[in-house]
Amino acid sequence: MLYYTQVLYLKAGQEETFHRFEEEVLPLLTHHNGELLYRVRPPETSVITTTFGHPYEIHFVSFASRADFEAYRDDPQRIRWMSLKEQSIERVLLIEGKLL
């Protein structure tokens, strides 16, 4: 089992575009043995210190294998909506890990 943490930073005023992107792509996770474990929208007061900025959302996702993650990442239905992601997201910090 692999785990991915995505820390998402949005462009100003692009919240609705980002929400539309997520509405389309998050349901695809289950088609690729993925599961959204947490989806957090932290208030600015929850960040004690940062040199990276305040994230809009943080996702914790699991996949049964790297191949499943790559199949999700490369899914044509997901790729179809990537313009919304590019329009709304300034940057993403993606961290891969495993449960010890």
Side-chain angles (χ1 to χ4, degrees):
M1 187 73 65
L2 288 176
Y3 297 90
Y4 292 89
T5 303
Q6 268 195 326
V7 184
L8 301 144
Y9 300 84
L10 294 192
K11 295 176 183 174
Q14 292 297 314
E15 294 82 5
E16 291 305 316
T17 303
F18 176 69
H19 297 168
R20 175 77 171 126
F21 172 71
E22 288 196 320
E23 287 170 12
E24 297 297 335
V25 302
L26 289 179
L28 299 173
L29 286 167
T30 58
H31 300 290
H32 300 287
N33 299 312
E35 181 180 5
L36 180 62
L37 303 172
Y38 295 100
R39 181 178 170 198
V40 180
R41 198 169 290 154
E44 287 193 39
T45 57
S46 68
V47 177
I48 297 167
T49 186
T50 179
T51 60
F52 211 63
H54 180 262
Y56 181 73
E57 278 191 4
I58 302 170
H59 296 180
F60 298 96
V61 181
S62 67
F63 287 94
S65 68
R66 180 180 301 279
D68 289 326
F69 167 73
E70 291 171 353
Y72 169 74
R73 180 194 66 199
D74 300 335
D75 186 311
Q77 290 181 321
R78 182 176 178 275
I79 290 171
R80 179 178 156 198
W81 299 102
M82 288 304 289
S83 63
L84 295 178
K85 180 179 181 182
E86 292 163 2
Q87 180 181 340
S88 62
I89 296 179
E90 181 177 305
R91 67 184 183 278
V92 176
L93 174 61
L94 179 65
I95 304 163
E96 180 183 278
K98 59 184 179 176
L99 189 60
L100 300 176

